[in-house]
């Protein structure tokens, strides 16, 4: 650094140091006592001093002053920022937390119940074909080859025949969890997005996936590994299959807004319904992420079968109770009360 720039930095520091020290003292007092315990004059001074030091930091960086000076100003700025904006930041964080709790505990389950006709139809379109595909495959295992490739079915039957007594290593579990996210989210998004074609796309994908999953279950069971595949699925099935149904129901609702827009233009009806149903799609996406984690790390673990069945059954009851009952008290209150 040249002598000229050193002198410039020294002059800059000498001119501004008194305010830096004043701000440092006020920051320390606030950290120790709290903002409410400061003298009124100190509170009034705090914000202008903070803005001044922000400008000083920018000037020091632009002039390329020495690293110690810049670091000192940066540290003082950070400490003062926490003091000046801390209560507001905490208030924003509390507000964000409250909104997140409201979304999960009230908005999401209420939205599912609000569109219950579409959700019940989606449930039928998915689980009736699933049961049918399973029964037909149990009666004739060759039926499974009509809806799923043999190259998929035979390796699955072999894998489930081995069981999960040895579990799965952490690396493979993490890889499979990522695969489950990619695969299941893709299915759910197709079930939702294709609803724009009057709901027919959503209905098609619900039926197709229901038959395919049922056929896979039936084929694996016909090869003597039925208990193993049920034990595997029960841990995450309520979240995964439930999310696919919710995504499909959302697509059906989207399509119905085009078929029966009421007094609104179709485009406006579609836009309004998309905003209303978005909370269900978001909730279904989170359910799929949760299901992928359980599927990757728990479903294929070496935990005893009885434990997996108990945990899976309890999770099913919790998910069902959550969708049916969560947020009912708030739903009865005026909207602005939330």
């Amino acid at each position: 650094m040249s002598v000229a720039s050193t002198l410039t930095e020294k002059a800059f520091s000498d001119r501004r140091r008194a305010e830096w020290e004043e701000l440092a003292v006020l920051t320390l007092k606030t950290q120790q006592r709290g903002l409410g315990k400061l003298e009124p004059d100190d509170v009034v001074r705090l914000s202008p001093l903070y803005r001044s030091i922000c400008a000083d930091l920018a000037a020091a960086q632009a002039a390329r002053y020495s690293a110690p000076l810049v670091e000192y100003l940066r540290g003082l700025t950070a400490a003062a920022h926490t003091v000046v904006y801390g209560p507001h930041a905490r208030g924003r964080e509390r507000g964000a937390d409250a909104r997140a709790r409201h979304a999960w505990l009230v908005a999401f389950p209420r939205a599912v119940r609000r569109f219950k006709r579409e959700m019940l139809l989606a449930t039928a379109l998915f689980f009736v074909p699933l049961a049918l595909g399973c029964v037909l495959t149990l009666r004739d295992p060759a039926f499974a080859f009509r809806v799923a490739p043999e190259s998929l079915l035979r390796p699955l039957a072999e894998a489930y025949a081995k069981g999960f007594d040895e579990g799965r290593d952490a690396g493979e579990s993490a890889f499979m969890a990522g695969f489950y996210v990619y695969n299941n989210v893709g299915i759910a998004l197709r079930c939702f997005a294709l609803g724009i074609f009057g709901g027919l796309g959503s209905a098609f994908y619900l039926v197709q996936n229901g038959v395919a999953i049922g056929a896979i279950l039936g084929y694996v069971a016909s090869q003597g590994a039925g208990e193993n595949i049920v034990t595997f699925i029960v841990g995450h099935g309520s979240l995964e299959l439930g999310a696919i149904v919710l995504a499909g129901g959302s697509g059906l609702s989207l399509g119905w807004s085009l078929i029966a827009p009421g007094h609104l233009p179709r485009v406006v009806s579609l836009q309004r319904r998309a905003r209303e149903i978005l909370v269900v799609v978001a909730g279904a996406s989170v359910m799929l992420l949760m299901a992928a984690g359980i599927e990757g790390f728990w479903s294929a673990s070496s935990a005893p079968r009885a434990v997996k069945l108990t945990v899976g059954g309890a999770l099913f009851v919790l998910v069902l109770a959550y969708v049916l009952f969560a947020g009912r008290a708030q739903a009865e209150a005026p909207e602005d009360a939330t």
Side-chain angles (χ1 to χ4, degrees):
M1 182 180 290
S2 66
V3 174
S5 60
T6 302
L7 291 174
T8 303
E9 179 178 333
K10 184 176 183 303
F12 173 76
S13 299
D14 290 343
R15 186 173 64 252
R16 301 293 303 143
R17 188 170 301 279
E19 287 197 358
W20 299 345
E21 292 175 351
E22 182 183 1
L23 180 60
V25 170
L26 285 177
T27 299
L28 182 60
K29 287 170 63 176
T30 307
Q31 290 172 339
Q32 292 176 341
R33 306 178 188 175
L35 194 61
K37 297 296 181 65
L38 293 182
E39 297 294 330
D41 291 343
D42 291 339
V43 175
V44 171
R45 285 287 292 159
L46 194 57
S47 184
L49 287 172
Y50 169 72
R51 289 195 296 269
S52 295
I53 195 174
C54 288
D56 291 342
L57 174 60
Q61 291 173 325
R64 297 185 178 181
Y65 288 151
S66 65
L69 177 61
V70 172
E71 288 303 315
Y72 168 76
L73 293 175
R74 185 177 289 125
L76 185 54
T77 302
H81 177 87
T82 302
V83 166
V84 173
Y85 292 105
H88 305 289
R90 286 192 292 271
R92 288 193 297 271
E93 290 172 2
R94 286 194 294 269
D97 291 343
R99 288 191 296 273
R101 286 194 300 272
H102 180 271
W104 274 109
L105 299 178
V106 179
F108 174 56
R110 277 172 55 180
V112 173
R113 293 193 296 270
R114 178 182 177 188
F115 299 105
K116 62 182 179 182
R117 288 180 298 180
E118 293 92 330
M119 299 305 163
L120 289 173
L121 178 58
T123 300
L125 288 172
F126 182 75
F127 283 105
V128 171
L130 188 153
L132 186 62
C134 185
V135 170
L136 291 176
T137 304
L138 286 172
R139 294 179 60 183
D140 178 13
F143 174 81
F145 300 138
R146 302 175 189 173
V147 294
E150 185 176 352
S151 59
L152 169 68
L153 291 168
R154 294 196 185 280
L156 278 176
E158 293 174 3
Y160 284 114
K162 295 178 182 177
F164 305 101
D165 292 338
E166 298 179 0
R168 193 160 59 188
D169 63 62
E172 185 181 0
S173 295
F175 171 79
M176 291 307 298
F179 169 76
Y180 297 141
V181 170
Y182 172 80
N183 182 67
N184 296 338
V185 170
I187 292 173
L189 286 178
R190 285 192 294 272
C191 286
F192 167 65
L194 292 177
I196 198 170
F197 298 108
L200 295 177
S202 297
F204 171 79
Y205 265 99
L206 285 167
V207 172
Q208 182 194 52
N209 281 281
V211 172
I213 293 173
I216 291 172
L217 286 171
Y219 182 79
V220 172
S222 72
Q223 303 306 302
E227 288 187 359
N228 287 342
I229 192 170
V230 169
T231 303
F232 177 80
I233 291 175
V234 71
H236 60 272
S238 56
L239 288 169
E240 181 181 296
L241 303 183
I244 291 174
V245 167
L246 292 180
S250 299
L252 293 175
S253 180
L254 205 65
W256 188 250
S257 71
L258 288 173
I259 295 174
H263 64 281
L264 297 173
R266 281 185 167 79
V267 174
V268 175
S269 175
L270 177 65
Q271 291 173 339
R272 177 175 294 184
R273 182 57 53 85
R275 287 194 299 269
E276 293 171 345
I277 206 71
L278 186 60
V279 65
V280 178
V281 179
S285 299
V286 175
M287 287 173 64
L288 286 172
L289 294 177
M290 295 168 62
I294 296 172
E295 189 173 2
F297 292 96
W298 167 255
S299 297
S301 70
S302 58
R305 176 173 296 161
V307 174
K308 288 185 177 180
L309 293 175
T310 301
V311 171
L315 185 58
F316 171 77
V317 172
L318 286 174
V319 171
L320 187 62
Y322 166 68
V323 171
L324 292 178
F325 302 112
R328 282 195 179 274
Q330 290 85 346
E332 297 168 357
E335 191 67 27
D336 58 357
T338 60

